[in-house]
Tab-separated table of all heavy atoms in Angstrom:
chain	number	residue	atom	x	y	z
A	13	VAL	N	-22.737	-37.517	90.871
A	13	VAL	CA	-21.463	-37.268	90.220
A	13	VAL	C	-21.111	-38.423	89.305
A	13	VAL	O	-20.487	-38.246	88.268
A	13	VAL	CB	-20.347	-37.028	91.252
A	13	VAL	CG1	-20.286	-38.134	92.270
A	13	VAL	CG2	-19.009	-36.848	90.611
A	14	ALA	N	-21.548	-39.620	89.660
A	14	ALA	CA	-21.108	-40.776	88.898
A	14	ALA	C	-21.921	-41.988	89.282
A	14	ALA	O	-22.521	-42.046	90.354
A	14	ALA	CB	-19.640	-41.050	89.185
A	15	ARG	N	-21.913	-42.948	88.404
A	15	ARG	CA	-22.576	-44.218	88.665
A	15	ARG	C	-21.530	-45.266	88.973
A	15	ARG	O	-20.592	-45.454	88.213
A	15	ARG	CB	-23.367	-44.664	87.446
A	15	ARG	CG	-24.544	-43.755	87.166
A	15	ARG	CD	-25.228	-44.178	85.876
A	15	ARG	NE	-26.154	-43.131	85.487
A	15	ARG	CZ	-27.355	-43.361	84.927
A	15	ARG	NH1	-27.718	-44.610	84.670
A	15	ARG	NH2	-28.136	-42.371	84.609
A	16	LEU	N	-21.727	-45.956	90.070
A	16	LEU	CA	-20.826	-47.047	90.437
A	16	LEU	C	-21.239	-48.321	89.706
A	16	LEU	O	-22.428	-48.590	89.548
A	16	LEU	CB	-20.906	-47.302	91.938
A	16	LEU	CG	-20.326	-46.214	92.833
A	16	LEU	CD1	-20.675	-46.526	94.288
A	16	LEU	CD2	-18.826	-46.139	92.662
A	17	ARG	N	-20.238	-49.099	89.328
A	17	ARG	CA	-20.496	-50.433	88.776
A	17	ARG	C	-20.101	-51.465	89.819
A	17	ARG	O	-19.072	-51.317	90.476
A	17	ARG	CB	-19.636	-50.690	87.549
A	17	ARG	CG	-19.896	-49.769	86.408
A	17	ARG	CD	-18.862	-50.034	85.294
A	17	ARG	NE	-18.879	-48.933	84.352
A	17	ARG	CZ	-17.813	-48.502	83.685
A	17	ARG	NH1	-16.641	-49.087	83.847
A	17	ARG	NH2	-17.910	-47.499	82.861
A	56	ARG	N	-4.814	-59.491	88.464
A	56	ARG	CA	-3.468	-59.967	88.129
A	56	ARG	C	-2.417	-59.457	89.119
A	56	ARG	O	-2.258	-58.252	89.300
A	56	ARG	CB	-3.122	-59.493	86.727
A	56	ARG	CG	-1.772	-59.933	86.208
A	56	ARG	CD	-1.654	-59.443	84.771
A	56	ARG	NE	-0.402	-59.841	84.175
A	56	ARG	CZ	-0.237	-60.047	82.864
A	56	ARG	NH1	-1.248	-59.894	82.043
A	56	ARG	NH2	0.925	-60.391	82.381
A	75	ARG	N	-29.498	-43.424	103.270
A	75	ARG	CA	-28.729	-42.332	102.673
A	75	ARG	C	-29.209	-40.964	103.140
A	75	ARG	O	-28.595	-39.952	102.776
A	75	ARG	CB	-28.802	-42.415	101.145
A	75	ARG	CG	-28.326	-43.750	100.612
A	75	ARG	CD	-28.244	-43.758	99.114
A	75	ARG	NE	-27.215	-42.836	98.637
A	75	ARG	CZ	-26.842	-42.730	97.363
A	75	ARG	NH1	-27.447	-43.464	96.449
A	75	ARG	NH2	-25.902	-41.877	97.001
A	92	GLY	N	-22.175	-36.093	113.779
A	92	GLY	CA	-22.276	-36.104	112.316
A	92	GLY	C	-21.694	-37.392	111.743
A	92	GLY	O	-20.678	-37.887	112.231
A	101	ARG	N	-25.163	-42.872	105.727
A	101	ARG	CA	-24.462	-41.673	105.264
A	101	ARG	C	-24.867	-41.424	103.816
A	101	ARG	O	-25.402	-42.316	103.165
A	101	ARG	CB	-22.946	-41.863	105.385
A	101	ARG	CG	-22.436	-43.142	104.746
A	101	ARG	CD	-20.928	-43.375	104.971
A	101	ARG	NE	-20.571	-43.437	106.366
A	101	ARG	CZ	-19.779	-42.541	107.001
A	101	ARG	NH1	-19.244	-41.541	106.327
A	101	ARG	NH2	-19.513	-42.667	108.273
A	103	ASN	N	-23.399	-41.302	100.896
A	103	ASN	CA	-22.917	-42.356	99.988
A	103	ASN	C	-22.399	-43.506	100.849
A	103	ASN	O	-21.269	-43.441	101.349
A	103	ASN	CB	-21.792	-41.834	99.092
A	103	ASN	CG	-22.260	-40.764	98.132
A	103	ASN	OD1	-23.196	-40.958	97.371
A	103	ASN	ND2	-21.614	-39.607	98.179
A	105	LEU	N	-20.538	-45.998	101.462
A	105	LEU	CA	-19.377	-46.799	101.078
A	105	LEU	C	-18.796	-47.445	102.330
A	105	LEU	O	-18.631	-46.779	103.357
A	105	LEU	CB	-18.334	-45.915	100.399
A	105	LEU	CG	-18.777	-45.297	99.066
A	105	LEU	CD1	-17.840	-44.164	98.664
A	105	LEU	CD2	-18.841	-46.361	97.974
A	134	VAL	N	-17.366	-52.502	95.129
A	134	VAL	CA	-17.177	-51.510	94.067
A	134	VAL	C	-15.716	-51.205	93.782
A	134	VAL	O	-15.401	-50.600	92.743
A	134	VAL	CB	-17.972	-50.217	94.356
A	134	VAL	CG1	-19.476	-50.512	94.365
A	134	VAL	CG2	-17.537	-49.552	95.641
A	135	ASP	N	-14.796	-51.597	94.685
A	135	ASP	CA	-13.377	-51.389	94.393
A	135	ASP	C	-12.530	-52.269	95.321
A	135	ASP	O	-12.987	-52.679	96.396
A	135	ASP	CB	-12.984	-49.913	94.576
A	135	ASP	CG	-11.691	-49.523	93.831
A	135	ASP	OD1	-11.187	-50.333	93.026
A	135	ASP	OD2	-11.197	-48.406	94.065
A	136	ILE	N	-11.313	-52.540	94.854
A	136	ILE	CA	-10.308	-53.290	95.610
A	136	ILE	C	-8.986	-52.578	95.384
A	136	ILE	O	-8.653	-52.229	94.240
A	136	ILE	CB	-10.200	-54.747	95.094
A	136	ILE	CG1	-11.552	-55.475	95.204
A	136	ILE	CG2	-9.101	-55.514	95.842
A	136	ILE	CD1	-11.591	-56.806	94.445
A	137	LYS	N	-8.244	-52.327	96.483
A	137	LYS	CA	-6.963	-51.614	96.369
A	137	LYS	C	-5.890	-52.327	97.173
A	137	LYS	O	-6.171	-52.913	98.220
A	137	LYS	CB	-7.085	-50.193	96.946
A	137	LYS	CG	-7.948	-49.260	96.139
A	137	LYS	CD	-8.000	-47.899	96.822
A	137	LYS	CE	-9.059	-47.018	96.208
A	137	LYS	NZ	-8.769	-46.654	94.816
B	13	VAL	N	-24.738	-50.004	90.215
B	13	VAL	CA	-25.322	-50.384	91.486
B	13	VAL	C	-25.916	-49.175	92.172
B	13	VAL	O	-26.911	-49.273	92.875
B	13	VAL	CB	-24.279	-51.082	92.395
B	13	VAL	CG1	-23.037	-50.242	92.564
B	13	VAL	CG2	-24.837	-51.409	93.749
B	14	ALA	N	-25.338	-48.010	91.941
B	14	ALA	CA	-25.786	-46.850	92.698
B	14	ALA	C	-25.208	-45.588	92.093
B	14	ALA	O	-24.200	-45.620	91.384
B	14	ALA	CB	-25.324	-46.966	94.138
B	15	ARG	N	-25.845	-44.487	92.402
B	15	ARG	CA	-25.347	-43.193	91.976
B	15	ARG	C	-24.739	-42.477	93.164
B	15	ARG	O	-25.360	-42.351	94.213
B	15	ARG	CB	-26.493	-42.340	91.438
B	15	ARG	CG	-27.062	-42.885	90.157
B	15	ARG	CD	-28.274	-42.075	89.756
B	15	ARG	NE	-28.973	-42.777	88.692
B	15	ARG	CZ	-29.589	-42.182	87.677
B	15	ARG	NH1	-29.635	-40.865	87.610
B	15	ARG	NH2	-30.178	-42.886	86.746
B	16	LEU	N	-23.530	-41.996	92.987
B	16	LEU	CA	-22.863	-41.229	94.037
B	16	LEU	C	-23.305	-39.778	93.981
B	16	LEU	O	-23.496	-39.222	92.900
B	16	LEU	CB	-21.345	-41.279	93.825
B	16	LEU	CG	-20.680	-42.618	94.071
B	16	LEU	CD1	-19.215	-42.538	93.631
B	16	LEU	CD2	-20.763	-43.008	95.528
B	17	ARG	N	-23.444	-39.169	95.151
B	17	ARG	CA	-23.694	-37.736	95.231
B	17	ARG	C	-22.419	-37.045	95.700
B	17	ARG	O	-21.718	-37.551	96.579
B	17	ARG	CB	-24.766	-37.436	96.273
B	17	ARG	CG	-26.099	-38.015	95.972
B	17	ARG	CD	-27.020	-37.806	97.180
B	17	ARG	NE	-28.187	-38.668	97.038
B	17	ARG	CZ	-28.855	-39.176	98.066
B	17	ARG	NH1	-28.498	-38.908	99.309
B	17	ARG	NH2	-29.894	-39.948	97.850
B	54	ALA	N	-23.546	-33.313	108.936
B	54	ALA	CA	-22.721	-34.527	108.961
B	54	ALA	C	-21.324	-34.264	109.519
B	54	ALA	O	-20.581	-35.194	109.815
B	54	ALA	CB	-22.631	-35.127	107.558
B	56	ARG	N	-20.792	-32.545	112.349
B	56	ARG	CA	-20.903	-32.326	113.798
B	56	ARG	C	-19.976	-33.252	114.581
B	56	ARG	O	-20.056	-34.477	114.464
B	56	ARG	CB	-22.353	-32.574	114.206
B	56	ARG	CG	-22.649	-32.350	115.660
B	56	ARG	CD	-24.148	-32.529	115.869
B	56	ARG	NE	-24.550	-32.303	117.235
B	56	ARG	CZ	-25.748	-31.860	117.590
B	56	ARG	NH1	-26.657	-31.603	116.659
B	56	ARG	NH2	-26.049	-31.688	118.853
B	75	ARG	N	-11.850	-45.339	83.320
B	75	ARG	CA	-12.619	-46.428	83.923
B	75	ARG	C	-12.518	-47.721	83.127
B	75	ARG	O	-13.048	-48.746	83.552
B	75	ARG	CB	-14.086	-46.019	84.042
B	75	ARG	CG	-14.276	-44.748	84.834
B	75	ARG	CD	-15.719	-44.453	85.093
B	75	ARG	NE	-16.318	-45.462	85.970
B	75	ARG	CZ	-17.554	-45.372	86.451
B	75	ARG	NH1	-18.306	-44.337	86.135
B	75	ARG	NH2	-18.030	-46.314	87.239
B	92	GLY	N	-2.732	-56.091	87.671
B	92	GLY	CA	-4.155	-55.758	87.746
B	92	GLY	C	-4.375	-54.550	88.639
B	92	GLY	O	-3.712	-54.406	89.665
B	101	ARG	N	-9.272	-47.325	87.122
B	101	ARG	CA	-9.938	-48.539	87.609
B	101	ARG	C	-11.430	-48.390	87.344
B	101	ARG	O	-11.910	-47.283	87.074
B	101	ARG	CB	-9.667	-48.728	89.100
B	101	ARG	CG	-9.958	-47.476	89.932
B	101	ARG	CD	-9.559	-47.630	91.414
B	101	ARG	NE	-8.173	-47.958	91.615
B	101	ARG	CZ	-7.735	-49.118	92.138
B	101	ARG	NH1	-8.598	-50.018	92.546
B	101	ARG	NH2	-6.451	-49.349	92.270
B	103	ASN	N	-14.173	-48.240	89.095
B	103	ASN	CA	-14.779	-47.158	89.878
B	103	ASN	C	-13.648	-46.357	90.512
B	103	ASN	O	-13.088	-46.769	91.531
B	103	ASN	CB	-15.692	-47.719	90.980
B	103	ASN	CG	-16.892	-48.447	90.425
B	103	ASN	OD1	-17.662	-47.909	89.648
B	103	ASN	ND2	-17.055	-49.714	90.824
B	105	LEU	N	-12.361	-44.521	92.748
B	105	LEU	CA	-12.467	-43.936	94.089
B	105	LEU	C	-11.066	-43.714	94.632
B	105	LEU	O	-10.205	-44.584	94.521
B	105	LEU	CB	-13.251	-44.874	95.006
B	105	LEU	CG	-14.724	-45.099	94.615
B	105	LEU	CD1	-15.294	-46.300	95.349
B	105	LEU	CD2	-15.547	-43.848	94.898
B	134	VAL	N	-16.814	-37.755	97.918
B	134	VAL	CA	-18.059	-38.521	98.036
B	134	VAL	C	-18.293	-39.081	99.430
B	134	VAL	O	-19.417	-39.509	99.736
B	134	VAL	CB	-18.130	-39.646	96.974
B	134	VAL	CG1	-18.175	-39.029	95.574
B	134	VAL	CG2	-16.997	-40.644	97.105
B	135	ASP	N	-17.263	-39.105	100.296
B	135	ASP	CA	-17.487	-39.563	101.668
B	135	ASP	C	-16.326	-39.112	102.554
B	135	ASP	O	-15.229	-38.833	102.067
B	135	ASP	CB	-17.618	-41.094	101.739
B	135	ASP	CG	-18.329	-41.588	102.998
B	135	ASP	OD1	-18.886	-40.769	103.759
B	135	ASP	OD2	-18.337	-42.820	103.218
B	136	ILE	N	-16.626	-39.022	103.850
B	136	ILE	CA	-15.642	-38.684	104.884
B	136	ILE	C	-15.922	-39.618	106.041
B	136	ILE	O	-17.084	-39.789	106.441
B	136	ILE	CB	-15.809	-37.211	105.340
B	136	ILE	CG1	-15.640	-36.237	104.155
B	136	ILE	CG2	-14.824	-36.887	106.473
B	136	ILE	CD1	-16.086	-34.803	104.486
B	137	LYS	N	-14.870	-40.247	106.587
B	137	LYS	CA	-15.043	-41.178	107.696
B	137	LYS	C	-14.020	-40.911	108.786
B	137	LYS	O	-12.891	-40.516	108.490
B	137	LYS	CB	-14.816	-42.634	107.224
B	137	LYS	CG	-15.867	-43.153	106.283
B	137	LYS	CD	-15.523	-44.587	105.911
B	137	LYS	CE	-16.396	-45.058	104.757
B	137	LYS	NZ	-17.810	-45.191	105.119
Side-chain angles (χ1 to χ4, degrees):
Chain A
V13 52
R15 293 175 192 217
L16 291 172
R17 297 174 195 148
R56 182 176 181 152
R75 304 187 66 174
R101 51 185 59 245
N103 294 305
L105 295 165
V134 296
D135 201 10
I136 301 168
K137 291 179 191 294
Chain B
V13 54
R15 293 174 192 216
L16 290 172
R17 297 172 195 150
R56 182 175 181 151
R75 303 187 66 174
R101 51 185 57 245
N103 295 304
L105 296 165
V134 296
D135 201 9
I136 301 168
K137 292 180 191 292

